[in-house]
């Protein structure tokens, strides 16, 4: 038996809210715009907490490209040689406020000329333009010394090392162009080495 039984109009049954659905968007814009806005908010939150977060971070960078040696004696050019080089660098440091990163690291650099192998030791400063965006341009500068470990003319000799990278960060990945310079005094001449490399990095 039923008491106070009433028929529900079809228009009510067709209303999703009546069946328990929740209204997500109730402003004047369409749902597509709101979905885009929601996605952008998610990306910004991801960037703030993962990409440009403050705290300790580590970078691994692989690069390779064109390399050239220039030899000087008493201020005069006495020859040059070109080839290719490849580098693998690891650095660890602290990210301040999402924009500035300061750290130190080491790695290996292989140079085709003379089958040379060097170990760079460097300090690092990195500046990211946008600290709370998933993607941002950056500039990275490494400065230190390069210890040569192979080739009889270079072995156990240490000289200047510098690397400047202009790049773009996409999430945890970096792509960029690196300009690498090193200088070392040999027995009779001074060797100045420069290279232009394409680089790919990953942030931990």
């Amino acid at each position: 038996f039923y008491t106070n039984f009433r028929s529900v109009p079809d228009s009510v049954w067709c209303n999703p809210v009546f069946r328990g659905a929740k209204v997500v968007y109730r402003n004047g814009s369409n749902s597509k715009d709101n979905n885009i806005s929601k996605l952008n908010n998610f990306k910004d939150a991801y960037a703030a907490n993962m990409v440009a977060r403050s705290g300790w971070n580590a970078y691994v960078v692989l690069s390779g490209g064109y390399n050239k040696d220039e030899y000087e004696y008493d201020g005069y050019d006495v020859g040059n040689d070109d080839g290719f080089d490849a580098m693998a660098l690891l650095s660890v440091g602290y990210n301040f406020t999402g924009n500035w990163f300061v750290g130190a690291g080491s790695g290996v650099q292989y140079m085709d000329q003379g089958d040379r192998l060097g170990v760079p030791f460097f300090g690092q400063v990195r500046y990211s333009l946008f600290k709370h965006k998933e993607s941002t341009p950056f500039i990275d500068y490494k400065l230190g010394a390069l210890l040569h470990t192979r080739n009889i003319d270079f072995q156990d000799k240490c000289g200047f090392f510098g690397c400047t990278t202009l790049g773009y960060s996409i999430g945890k990945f970096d792509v960029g162009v690196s300009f690498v310079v090193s200088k070392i005094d040999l027995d009779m001449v001074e060797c100045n080495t420069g290279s232009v490399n394409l680089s790919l990095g990953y942030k931990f």
Side-chain angles (χ1 to χ4, degrees), residues 143-193:
L143 180 65
L146 180 66
L147 174 65
H148 291 264
T149 62
R150 195 161 64 182
N151 186 302
I152 190 171
D153 294 325
F154 292 83
Q155 189 172 9
D156 298 330
K157 292 183 172 60
C158 191
F160 170 82
F161 173 83
C163 176
T164 301
T165 301
L166 302 176
Y168 199 81
S169 177
I170 306 172
K172 289 180 173 290
F173 291 92
D174 295 338
V175 292
V177 178
S178 298
F179 304 91
V180 186
V181 294
S182 61
K183 180 181 293 187
I184 189 170
D185 291 325
L186 304 178
D187 294 335
M188 297 295 295
V189 297
E190 180 182 88
C191 178
N192 299 308
T193 304

Side-chain angles (χ1 to χ4, degrees), residues 14-24:
C14 292
N15 188 341
V17 178
F18 182 83
R19 300 198 299 272
K22 294 182 180 180
V23 178
V24 178

